Amino acid sequence: MTASTTRWFPNSMPAPIVDHHTLPWWQACAEHKLTAQRCTHCNHAQIPPAPICSECHGNSFEMTELSGKGTLYTYTAVYQPIAMEQTLPFFIAIVELDVSGTSCANSVRLMTNMVDCEESELQIGKPVQVAWESMSQYVSIPRFRFC
Amino acid sequence: MSRKAHIVGVGESQYTKWGKIGDITEHALALQTIITAITDAGLKVSDIDGLASFAEDRNEGIFIAAELGIPELRYSNMVWMPGGGGGCAAVSNATMAVETGQAEVVVVYRSLCQGQYMRFGHAAELMVNSAANAAEPPPVTFSQANTMMLAAMGQVMPFGMLTGAAAFALPFRRHMHKYGSTSEHLGKIAVAFREHANRNPRAVMQDKTLTLEQHQTSRMIADPFRLFDCCMENDGACAVVITTAERAKDLSRARNRKMVEIVASVQGAPKGYSFGSFTNANIDDDIYATGGNTQMADRLWKKADMKPSDIDVAQIYDHFTGSVLMQLEDFGFCKRGEGGDFIDSGALSANGGSLPTNTSGGSLSEAYMHGLNHVLEGARSLWGESCNPVKDAKACLVTSAAGVPSSALLLRAH
């Protein structure tokens, strides 16, 4: 596990609520590995992981590690706190993740946060990369920053 | 077709600001409002044999039926998922029940006193408070999802995705990026609906005027949505009575009303949509910056053998202004990306616009009843009973939500 100590969000942020299928994705996050669930039959990639592949209905998967690079797809600056001692505004973003160098057949997007930037710097299409925030020994959250 | 479904009665309680309904429960309001609507139709409570609602209504049909003393409940159901996507779908379910002969008189109802329950979007506040009060805060860890909805939300809540404003700002921000739509376009929607509400005594915002400048300087909620881009949160209830053409004929004559036929109704979601832009970052790119209703709209027009230019008045679900703009495109009133120009033309105004929209004030300015009040206003606009009448209006489109699975109705007066 990376010994990163940078914090952007308080502990009072909602923690992940997981089921049998999504837990492996969050467990990989705890090790600072950004993954996609890849169907071993047709290579379709999906986040969050699901019981079956939405394309071929196969149920054999591998968690494929991604580069952590991507581009900003859309964003919003939120001015309402949803946790105590939260810095406002905070930025919810969707990032289109780079799957080059993997066997994934498609790129896949992730809902996340942009950090280490001003609202005026947010621009759709700009390259970003993952920035891990360790909330506890169990939970790390993949945020993103501009490259 | 003598069993073709018609709207024959509507009713609502007083609509108030959040938590201001006074000494009456949401449950009691549901009962009261169903009685108001059935009386408006010229029917008796004992004529009701079906009940339909949506959005995980706390007031379940079986209990409501028992408390109303309905002789025999023959049909009762609830549309999936929270929020307003199911309003027209609940009417659609009632329509199917009536047209297939499962029931004769179905009441669609929605009682919503958010002030008496957890405030929408404030789940986090509760969690935060409980964490603050704990002697020793627990470590941040996983909890288990007991429903598919919780699993979907639990994937995005760690990123602060908890409110509709943020959820629907994301696709609209992309719409702005792709097509150049602006906050001023959104402001003009809010102002048009407020002007309608100013003439509607039922509207929570009847006495509050709104200018474009006030909109543009109101505080930011989730960029690009400012305060006046967001619907209200209210207490109240409303109900609609659906029955067959055969019964509607006599009832309409007795009330000196035109018959309002439910020409067509649809429900749906695009491929892979799940809970739409609330939880889904992987909506197809050509659908993402839309209201998600394009396929459903095409199906509706085809079913009704009608087209957008046939519509005299529209009631378009307005949880957020941006969702109105994108639905205008989805339903084909203008081309994709031209919603802003359409709004600039003044189309939405009941005072001479080409498509008078949300003539009651909608969720932005009449009341947030998860969009069932849009169905009531649809019927009123065709009966000539709207506070913002559209002369000789014969056809009305009603929609339920954008950015989540949704539904829609086409109503016609004859």
Side-chain angles (χ1 to χ4, degrees):
Chain A
M1 198 184 297
T2 315
S4 160
T5 53
T6 313
R7 293 299 303 267
W8 296 281
F9 288 84
N11 273 357
S12 55
M13 286 291 283
I17 306 172
V18 302
D19 67 11
H20 177 78
H21 307 285
T22 59
L23 183 61
W25 190 85
W26 286 105
Q27 285 173 328
C29 285
E31 295 173 15
H32 293 189
K33 288 179 179 162
L34 188 64
T35 59
Q37 182 194 38
R38 182 178 58 81
C39 172
T40 56
H41 180 243
C42 75
N43 285 325
H44 178 70
Q46 47 195 25
I47 300 176
I52 63 170
C53 168
S54 66
E55 298 308 302
C56 77
H57 303 157
N59 62 359
S60 168
F61 297 107
E62 272 177 22
M63 296 304 287
T64 297
E65 189 172 355
L66 307 178
S67 67
K69 292 188 189 311
T71 53
L72 184 60
Y73 184 75
T74 190
Y75 63 89
T76 177
V78 182
Y79 284 77
Q80 299 274 83
I82 58 123
M84 282 188 307
E85 293 164 7
Q86 187 175 14
T87 309
L88 293 177
F90 73 97
F91 309 128
I92 298 178
I94 291 180
V95 164
E96 181 117 41
L97 298 171
D98 173 28
V99 296
S100 59
T102 74
S103 307
C104 295
N106 55 293
S107 68
V108 58
R109 290 182 227 129
L110 177 71
M111 196 176 291
T112 179
N113 303 110
M114 287 300 297
V115 295
D116 285 347
C117 64
E118 299 296 321
E119 186 174 354
S120 57
E121 296 171 71
L122 294 168
Q123 203 185 316
I124 291 173
K126 269 168 85 172
V128 295
Q129 67 181 45
V130 70
W132 290 102
E133 179 169 9
S134 297
M135 308 298 282
S136 72
Q137 62 175 308
Y138 310 105
V139 176
S140 285
I141 309 284
R143 324 278 185 198
F144 280 75
R145 56 159 73 99
F146 289 115
C147 294
Chain B
M1 180 180 160
S2 64
R3 293 203 67 89
K4 192 82 175 93
H6 285 65
I7 296 177
V8 291
V10 299
E12 68 263 289
S13 71
Q14 186 192 1
Y15 297 140
T16 73
K17 289 193 170 178
W18 184 88
K20 299 290 183 194
I21 194 73
D23 194 19
I24 184 164
T25 63
E26 180 188 87
H27 172 180
L29 270 189
L31 297 167
Q32 210 177 69
T33 303
I34 291 169
I35 295 169
T36 306
I38 204 80
T39 306
D40 179 68
L43 289 164
K44 297 191 294 295
V45 170
S46 57
D47 292 318
I48 302 173
D49 61 357
L51 292 165
S53 189
F54 62 105
E56 298 177 351
D57 195 320
R58 288 177 279 262
N59 307 287
E60 290 155 300
I62 53 165
F63 299 110
I64 295 291
E67 287 167 340
L68 287 170
I70 288 173
E72 185 194 5
L73 184 67
R74 299 187 184 123
Y75 180 83
S76 172
N77 80 354
M78 179 96 74
V79 183
W80 36 236
M81 79 159 202
C88 290
V91 176
S92 180
N93 284 338
T95 298
M96 287 192 283
V98 160
E99 294 185 352
T100 57
Q102 296 209 39
E104 290 296 320
V105 177
V106 182
V107 179
V108 182
Y109 63 95
R110 183 83 182 115
S111 188
L112 189 63
C113 296
Q114 295 184 301
Q116 293 168 8
Y117 297 90
M118 192 168 68
R119 192 171 179 177
F120 186 64
H122 286 230
E125 214 167 75
L126 284 187
M127 286 188 275
V128 169
N129 289 338
S130 61
N133 292 335
E136 212 176 309
V140 178
T141 189
F142 306 116
S143 58
Q144 193 192 334
N146 294 319
T147 63
M148 291 172 78
M149 179 58 83
L150 209 48
M153 285 301 297
Q155 181 75 21
V156 295
M157 279 163 53
F159 305 106
M161 176 52 78
L162 273 152
T163 66
F168 303 113
L170 290 172
F172 192 71
R173 167 56 67 186
R174 189 145 176 98
H175 190 281
M176 292 169 87
H177 170 74
K178 284 177 89 163
Y179 305 113
S181 45
T182 66
S183 172
E184 277 208 14
H185 293 138
L186 302 186
K188 287 174 185 173
I189 296 172
V191 169
F193 296 175
R194 181 61 62 86
E195 284 172 1
H196 297 163
N198 291 150
R199 292 187 285 270
N200 175 6
R202 288 180 288 265
V204 174
M205 290 297 180
Q206 189 199 0
D207 298 329
K208 295 253 170 73
T209 56
L210 179 69
T211 64
L212 187 57
E213 193 194 345
Q214 282 172 315
H215 170 276
Q216 288 291 293
T217 53
S218 65
R219 67 188 163 90
M220 199 61 91
I221 302 294
D223 176 76
F225 294 155
R226 298 176 174 278
L227 179 66
F228 294 121
D229 291 308
C230 305
C231 70
M232 304 177 284
E233 292 176 46
N234 301 119
D235 290 356
C238 57
V240 186
V241 183
I242 316 291
T243 192
T244 60
E246 197 178 346
R247 283 170 181 249
K249 207 169 170 184
D250 295 338
L251 293 168
S252 306
R253 196 171 295 149
R255 287 292 324 257
N256 199 22
R257 277 173 172 165
K258 283 182 184 162
M259 287 174 72
V260 169
E261 178 191 348
I262 299 165
V263 184
S265 57
V266 286
Q267 177 182 11
K271 180 177 184 252
Y273 212 49
S274 67
F275 195 33
S277 54
F278 234 111
T279 60
N280 191 352
N282 286 286
I283 296 167
D284 283 356
D285 183 52
D286 56 350
I287 292 173
Y288 189 80
T290 76
N293 292 339
T294 310
Q295 289 167 296
M296 189 182 78
D298 290 348
R299 211 151 29 89
L300 182 68
W301 295 124
K302 207 166 284 175
K303 247 178 118 172
D305 194 22
M306 289 169 72
K307 52 190 186 305
S309 59
D310 294 330
I311 296 300
D312 302 305
V313 53
Q315 315 299 338
I316 295 184
Y317 195 92
D318 53 340
H319 42 0
F320 298 94
T321 49
S323 312
V324 176
L325 190 152
M326 293 193 291
Q327 283 182 90
L328 289 166
E329 298 174 357
D330 289 359
F331 281 87
F333 293 105
C334 55
K335 286 192 187 130
R336 178 68 59 203
E338 294 180 1
D341 294 338
F342 187 75
I343 288 154
D344 279 341
S345 78
L348 306 186
S349 172
N351 193 10
S354 60
L355 184 72
T357 298
N358 292 11
T359 44
S360 69
S363 301
L364 289 166
S365 286
E366 185 194 44
Y368 180 58
M369 289 293 118
H370 275 158
L372 192 61
N373 51 326
H374 292 59
V375 180
L376 274 73
E377 180 65 10
R380 284 197 173 110
S381 59
L382 299 183
W383 285 331
E385 296 176 15
S386 169
C387 301
N388 290 282
V390 175
K391 202 165 175 289
D392 298 326
K394 288 198 174 52
C396 178
L397 169 73
V398 188
T399 77
S400 291
V404 290
S406 187
S407 53
L409 304 172
L410 279 173
L411 308 178
R412 189 163 51 201
H414 55 88

